[in-house]
Amino acid sequence: MHADSLNLARQWEQLLGDPRHSDALLHFGASLQEDERELFPQAQLLTLQRMGLFEQLVPRADGGRLDEPERVLLLSRILSRRNLSCAVAFGQSLLGSIPIWLAGSPAQRAAHAASLRAGGLACLALTERAHGSDILATEFEVRAEGEELRLSGEKWLINNGSRGASATVLARQVHADGRSELVLLRLARPDAPAPAWQSLPKIATHGIRGADISGFTLQDHRCAAAEALLPRGEPAIGTVLKTLQISRILCAGFSLGATDTLLRLTLGFAGQRELYGKQVAQIPAARAKLAQSYARLLGADLLAQACTRAIALLPQELSLISPICKYRLPLECEAIARELAVVLGARHYLRSSDALGMFQKMQRDLQVVSLFDGSTQVNLALLAGQLRHLQERLEQPGGPHDAEAARALARQLLRPAAWAGGWPEAGALRLASQGRDSLMLAYRQLRARHEPAADEPMLAATLQRLDRRLQAWLDAVRQALWEERCALDSCRVLALAQDYTRLWHACALALAWQLEQEDSDGGPGGGLDADLLLENLRQALPELEIAGCEARDERLLQRALAALRHPHLFSLSPLPCAW
């Protein structure tokens, strides 16, 4: 991450303060009260607007501060550590903005940037009550009448649906000759209540109870076509799919931030609570769960880092990388939350008003992330459709020149101190990667040129098993898709897609460890060391048969406790935090 982004994040952390204390700008007490009463976090969003954080949603080309995707990810983590309902409302404003930044006219971009700077929320209105995720079946209707558009229809289950100052809407334009096509509109909500634009009631939800999950109905709403209709540089569905390629990755910040708080609360509790004559943190089973949860969270941190940097570095491959990240990372964080709940015992279930009461709220809120911007099944299906070409490309060997290029790219994606700036243009994004997966190609090229040191026989054997496991997956894809011609939506192909998310994550970790060794000459350090690598591989791929290790757990736990005593984000990037 760029040093400027880290410095900004430090400032944000200090300004927002320790959320356990009532004098913090975003504190747990207010978050819990709002959650109990299902209140929208309006005051907290006004705080963010006064801090200038809405500038981070506007690209530099439009006068804002948005230029490094990883900074957006970090901002999302910092907010989600404190209140996921607030972070989601803020993040939805970026989701509603991405189509404007990708495809909007200069006038639309300027109007949207001004709205955001004023603290106006935005939303992306894709779904409808009758069609759910089948957005190709959109019925929200647009008809042109001279220089005006006449709009009628309903958008439902929309975040910021009744509070957004603007809505980016997928609609179906019906032409005079009967033809219809999907279009994107940027609509400004009327300043005063209007019969033609009616907000739908807020929907009660299991988590993020205060979020404005609602919608709106338009009936003969009139607007200027030049102001509302996004230019048709490409089919509207293409812009939507490219938008989701970016947003699915950035959703990782919600999961990482909430899980950071869950681990921090549990570590604090385990160090103070006494059971059976000893602290919970001294009970071997609890120590193992805490250590392994810490390792798993840092493994998810690396996954998010690599995928987020790919937004700038590999925009042509996001059709592949995005569903990997969106499938894998939220489920990893949910699994960590379940393990930590075991350590907390009955306390994880209590809706108390103290800081520990945030655990049940965060655990509930965390579960919604896997539903955003395409569910886990939608993302598996997106990945399954690309496996045939992917298998072909990964089987092609690369030469020495390719290996050097692969090493340079891997460093940019995987080394904490590296960074990737720039917001992609719509033309740089692709709806399919044509089988290209640069990170996995880099792994296959560089693994053949590196072996662990002789004093690490267990690690060497583990990486060899990982290589064989990857080759077995390639063989299985060849058999299923080329020889047996299995349907892409079959359970067998979806299982292969799921396997690839685990393998991609495991290979990214192994490659990051290799680069760490090259940069540090194998010496000790605080980065991704052998302990973190082995524990993550053990949990990601049980078939590698990596044994548990108490000594390894102890070293990992000490790292976690050090980050708690001298507060740092649970991350491979060094970031002091307020708590």
Side-chain angles (χ1 to χ4, degrees):
M1 191 179 303
H2 196 282
D4 289 347
S5 294
L6 284 171
N7 288 333
L8 267 177
R10 291 188 187 99
Q11 294 172 26
W12 296 332
E13 268 289 330
Q14 295 309 312
L15 285 171
L16 291 172
D18 185 338
R20 296 170 298 177
H21 301 154
S22 60
D23 59 352
L25 292 181
L26 270 66
H27 62 90
F28 288 160
S31 298
L32 286 167
Q33 290 175 16
E34 289 174 350
D35 186 67
E36 287 294 319
R37 298 167 63 191
E38 300 190 21
L39 295 178
F40 187 74
Q42 186 62 48
Q44 298 190 23
L45 288 164
L46 287 174
T47 295
L48 303 186
Q49 194 267 336
R50 288 194 296 269
M51 290 174 62
L53 293 186
F54 278 80
E55 288 287 335
Q56 301 297 329
L57 306 181
V58 180
R60 283 202 180 275
D62 296 280
R65 302 290 301 276
L66 176 60
D67 63 356
E68 183 185 9
E70 199 174 0
R71 182 189 296 178
V72 180
L73 180 81
L74 186 52
L75 173 56
S76 175
R77 292 179 72 165
I78 287 171
L79 298 179
S80 299
R81 295 180 67 230
R82 294 163 166 85
N83 185 354
L84 198 53
S85 295
C86 178
V88 164
F90 183 80
Q92 173 70 194
S93 293
L94 177 60
L95 175 60
S97 304
I98 294 175
I100 311 300
W101 307 146
L102 290 179
S105 68
Q108 288 168 335
R109 293 169 69 103
H112 197 73
S115 176
L116 289 174
R117 287 196 186 91
L121 300 176
C123 67
L124 179 60
L126 300 180
T127 55
E128 298 176 4
R129 196 184 304 261
H131 305 298
S133 61
D134 183 10
I135 59 177
L136 292 177
T138 292
E139 293 184 57
F140 192 102
E141 187 177 283
V142 183
R143 291 183 182 269
E145 295 183 351
E147 300 299 315
E148 282 192 330
L149 298 177
R150 180 163 56 88
L151 316 176
S152 295
E154 179 188 84
K155 289 296 179 178
W156 181 76
L157 214 61
I158 307 300
N159 196 3
N160 292 349
S162 65
R163 290 177 174 268
S166 68
T168 305
V169 180
L170 182 66
R172 183 171 299 281
Q173 183 169 11
V174 180
H175 298 282
D177 61 4
R179 292 181 302 108
S180 71
E181 62 178 327
L182 293 177
V183 295
L184 276 169
L185 309 165
R186 181 189 180 272
L187 303 180
R189 184 182 297 274
D191 293 331
W197 187 313
Q198 295 291 319
S199 295
L200 297 175
K202 170 181 160 28
I203 299 166
T205 53
H206 175 64
I208 56 169
R209 290 176 177 169
D212 175 29
I213 309 297
S214 56
F216 51 85
T217 298
L218 271 59
Q219 184 62 45
D220 290 331
H221 176 75
R222 308 285 179 135
C223 60
E227 294 178 2
L229 195 62
L230 267 64
R232 293 181 177 86
E234 65 177 349
I237 195 65
T239 301
V240 169
L241 293 175
K242 291 176 179 180
T243 293
L244 295 176
Q245 287 175 7
I246 296 172
S247 67
R248 283 175 178 138
I249 293 173
L250 294 178
C251 282
F254 301 140
S255 296
L256 292 173
T259 310
D260 183 287
T261 292
L262 293 174
L263 178 56
R264 212 168 289 268
L265 289 169
T266 309
L267 283 168
F269 172 82
Q272 298 171 2
R273 174 69 168 166
E274 288 198 5
L275 281 176
Y276 315 115
K278 62 177 70 174
Q279 288 182 347
V280 169
Q282 295 173 324
I283 298 173
R287 292 177 75 81
K289 287 186 181 296
L290 291 169
Q292 292 161 16
S293 295
Y294 168 77
R296 204 167 184 175
L297 180 53
L298 263 64
D301 172 71
L302 180 93
L303 175 63
Q305 171 194 285
C307 294
T308 304
R309 291 180 184 176
I311 294 172
L313 292 173
L314 299 169
Q316 69 278 11
E317 297 181 22
L318 294 190
S319 66
L320 184 77
I321 295 171
S322 177
I324 290 173
C325 185
K326 186 59 172 60
Y327 175 83
R328 176 84 183 155
L329 195 141
L331 294 184
E332 278 290 280
C333 290
E334 289 177 25
I336 294 169
R338 289 192 295 271
E339 290 297 291
L340 295 174
V342 173
V343 177
L344 275 184
R347 300 297 178 96
H348 90 274
Y349 207 64
L350 303 183
R351 288 161 56 188
S352 58
S353 59
D354 58 2
L356 200 57
M358 283 298 291
F359 192 99
Q360 54 82 26
K361 169 174 161 49
M362 286 288 189
Q363 188 176 22
R364 280 188 287 106
D365 292 351
L366 183 64
Q367 295 175 59
V368 79
V369 182
S370 60
L371 299 176
F372 285 159
D373 302 358
S375 66
T376 53
Q377 285 302 116
V378 167
N379 283 286
L380 277 186
L382 290 170
L383 191 54
Q386 303 181 73
L387 295 188
R388 181 181 286 111
H389 293 303
L390 179 64
Q391 179 267 330
E392 278 190 305
R393 292 293 292 267
L394 290 180
E395 293 278 24
Q396 298 171 5
H401 176 74
D402 294 330
E404 289 310 308
R407 178 176 276 104
L409 175 63
R411 287 185 184 281
Q412 283 187 282
L413 290 171
L414 298 172
R415 297 298 292 132
W419 69 284
W423 197 251
E425 299 289 337
L429 298 160
R430 297 287 184 272
L431 299 184
S433 73
Q434 301 302 316
R436 181 77 182 180
D437 186 343
S438 294
L439 185 135
M440 192 63 91
L441 283 168
Y443 172 81
R444 286 176 66 78
Q445 289 165 348
L446 298 181
R447 268 290 295 137
R449 293 165 174 81
H450 178 88
E451 283 296 333
D455 60 351
E456 295 178 317
M458 178 183 174
L459 197 50
T462 297
L463 293 178
Q464 288 169 3
R465 288 197 295 272
L466 175 58
D467 292 341
R468 291 195 293 270
R469 177 68 176 80
L470 176 57
Q471 186 58 55
W473 180 86
L474 292 168
D475 295 340
V477 172
R478 186 187 312 107
Q479 181 178 357
L481 292 177
W482 292 104
E483 297 174 12
E484 299 180 18
R485 302 285 180 175
C486 293
L488 294 180
D489 61 353
S490 66
C491 292
R492 183 175 176 186
V493 175
L494 290 175
L496 287 169
Q498 183 181 34
D499 275 353
Y500 193 68
T501 68
R502 297 190 298 138
L503 285 163
W504 200 94
H505 191 187
C507 292
L509 289 160
L511 189 52
W513 172 84
Q514 177 176 326
L515 296 173
E516 177 84 18
Q517 302 311 296
E518 293 176 1
D519 290 350
S520 65
D521 298 322
L528 201 151
D529 59 13
D531 288 336
L532 279 171
L533 175 60
L534 285 169
E535 184 54 38
N536 272 283
L537 292 181
R538 188 185 73 83
Q539 297 191 58
L541 296 168
E543 60 268 32
L544 297 184
E545 298 181 343
I546 301 171
C549 175
E550 290 187 9
R552 182 169 69 233
D553 288 345
E554 183 61 28
R555 291 189 294 269
L556 290 168
L557 181 58
Q558 292 308 315
R559 281 184 62 170
L561 292 172
L564 190 69
R565 288 192 300 270
H566 308 286
H568 277 70
L569 203 67
F570 292 129
S571 170
L572 294 169
S573 297
L575 179 66
C577 56
W579 169 72

